[in-house]
Amino acid sequence: MTAHGGPMTAHADVIDLAQRLIRCPSRAGIDGYGPVLGVLEDWLAGRELPYRRLNAETGDTVGLLVEVAGGRPGPWWALDACVDTAPYGDEAAWSFAPDSGEVVDGWLRGRGAADSKLAAAMFCGIAAELHGRAGALHGGLAVLLDVDEHTGGFGGARAYLADREAARPAGVMIGYPGSDEVVVGGRGLWRAAIAVHAASGHSGSRRSTPGAVSRAAHLVRLLEEAGLPDADGEFPLPPKLTVTSCHGGQGFSVVPGLCELGVDIRTTPAFDAGAAEQLVREAVAELDAKVSAPRPTTVTPVASWPPYRLGTDRQPAAALLDAAAVEGLTVRPKTAGPSNIGNLLAGEGIPATAGFGVRYEGLHGVDERACLEDLPAVHAVYRRAVLSLLSRSS
């Protein structure tokens, strides 16, 4: 590779598509997705690949679905990559333009290079290759290109699973980056909004009853001091509780009557959503008993996903790990701390891997870039894994 520019000849088409995607800003909740979807649609149409838009219940487009139907009976499998991205953050801190798309010293630069526009381009390339030999394949391959991932809504995946015309996948491989690990599991989550109340009044009053912020601070201590179990059994990670937001009060002279907390609990098979909710409600009951208020504290659950973990002998994890070994790569299975689309799929009974890709830097931070030296091997692993899965009638 040249120091400035020159994409690797063997994967020039994939790199070129990734560059064009990066040069179309698609920050979740900030940019419109029409331009980036247009780049994908032009590329797919130019190769006569069958695709269609996926829409949410609101009518908004949340993804593209590419479908390559095999000529023989068998299960369908899916590749999934997002083409919406995190925000740029402080653009002044970047040493290059966030929508650069340039290749410098073997690295593809720009927001989305790592997460996950390069993977999206690679998966499109695999679909284009298999489309020309589909008659010999069992089942079929779907490629989901999601533009509602970084919102946390995972609208593309939800629309795919709700689409009556789409074959339900037997398993999904998600193209998050990272070359040393195949992510085969993740902690789940339980999230809640907590409204802490108190009697409002003037801060200079002789009355000394605590305000809502003070009561909320007491609750935070109760939550953070609550005992959580250690990792147990085959699941390698313990649960984790984090108070992620605190909003209350206005000005200096008013005792606040309301303070709202956000609580995020990462769950495990031994400490599931029910256990998480029980822990929070017990802490709330203790607060209300010890520090009275005119109204009880309320807990409103807002999201819950189950933890999951695939055995390394279960598909599609087995195919991906076997393909990596055949390609001479040392890759270990990993259960991730953060949740991902794999948790959503697990709740639907669909096994998923959620990470194997190129090396990267600056993911969700400044100077995001992806290592193109890894692309040939990563591409070969996914191609081999997909062909292995599509060679089976059951």
Side-chain angles (χ1 to χ4, degrees):
M1 179 173 302
T2 62
H4 295 274
M8 295 175 292
T9 303
H11 296 89
D13 201 29
V14 168
I15 296 170
D16 177 70
L17 176 57
Q19 289 178 296
R20 290 161 59 194
L21 294 173
I22 292 167
R23 289 167 180 155
C24 285
S26 52
R27 294 163 292 178
I30 299 174
D31 300 308
Y33 301 129
V36 76
L37 289 171
V39 168
L40 288 166
E41 289 174 323
D42 287 347
W43 194 95
L44 295 168
R47 288 152 184 80
E48 299 183 348
L49 275 166
Y51 73 89
R52 53 196 167 87
R53 290 194 172 200
L54 296 172
N55 296 317
E57 292 181 357
T58 60
D60 295 330
T61 298
V62 289
L64 294 179
L65 184 65
V66 184
E67 294 172 304
V68 179
R72 301 178 182 182
W76 278 69
W77 303 89
L79 298 171
D80 174 19
C82 60
V83 290
D84 66 334
T85 73
Y88 294 157
D90 181 6
E91 294 188 47
W94 287 65
S95 65
F96 49 82
D99 60 354
S100 162
E102 294 178 339
V103 176
V104 178
D105 297 330
W107 291 78
L108 176 62
R109 293 177 160 189
R111 178 64 84 225
D115 184 14
S116 295
K117 290 181 175 180
L118 181 60
M122 179 179 66
F123 289 166
C124 286
I126 290 173
E129 178 191 351
L130 297 189
H131 183 53
R133 52 190 293 188
L137 304 177
H138 290 267
L141 175 69
V143 176
L144 173 62
L145 304 166
D146 195 337
V147 291
D148 189 40
E149 197 265 10
H150 283 84
T151 62
F154 296 164
R158 294 180 188 277
Y160 172 36
L161 297 179
D163 192 320
R164 295 181 179 179
E165 297 180 18
R168 193 170 182 85
V172 178
M173 291 179 282
I174 304 165
Y176 296 136
S179 60
D180 298 328
E181 300 158 337
V182 170
V183 176
V184 297
R187 285 189 292 206
L189 62 80
W190 182 85
R191 291 173 176 163
I194 303 176
V196 181
H197 301 278
S200 60
H202 197 290
S203 60
S205 171
R206 293 181 180 181
R207 188 178 59 181
S208 60
T209 55
V213 171
S214 297
R215 295 188 77 239
H218 189 86
L219 178 58
V220 170
R221 288 194 297 272
L222 291 174
L223 290 170
E224 293 185 342
E225 292 170 359
L228 293 173
D230 295 328
D232 180 52
E234 295 183 356
F235 199 86
L237 298 173
K240 181 182 180 183
L241 182 151
T242 307
V243 178
T244 56
S245 65
C246 180
H247 304 285
Q250 186 174 16
F252 290 97
S253 62
V254 179
V255 176
L258 173 66
C259 185
E260 296 175 309
L261 300 177
V263 177
D264 177 286
I265 300 180
R266 299 303 163 125
T267 60
T268 68
F271 190 83
D272 61 10
E277 183 167 359
Q278 181 179 348
L279 180 149
V280 170
R281 292 193 181 278
E282 288 177 353
V284 163
E286 183 175 349
L287 170 73
D288 286 349
K290 288 184 175 180
V291 187
S292 62
R295 293 176 58 189
T297 303
T298 59
V299 178
T300 304
V302 296
S304 180
W305 289 344
Y308 80 102
R309 187 171 187 268
L310 301 185
T312 55
D313 59 346
R314 188 176 179 192
Q315 301 296 6
L320 200 54
L321 288 164
D322 289 348
V326 171
E327 295 295 332
L329 302 180
T330 301
V331 178
R332 67 181 182 91
K334 175 187 177 181
T335 300
S339 303
N340 54 63
I341 293 179
N343 296 86
L344 172 67
L345 294 167
E348 296 284 338
I350 299 172
T353 61
F356 170 69
V358 302
R359 286 173 289 166
Y360 63 91
E361 294 179 357
L363 187 146
H364 289 195
V366 300
D367 288 354
E368 181 176 345
R369 60 182 192 157
C371 181
L372 294 179
E373 180 183 353
D374 298 342
L375 179 61
V378 170
H379 192 165
V381 168
Y382 274 106
R383 178 181 179 276
R384 183 179 292 276
V386 168
L387 285 173
S388 172
L389 293 167
L390 296 177
S391 68
R392 308 162 189 257
S393 59
S394 61

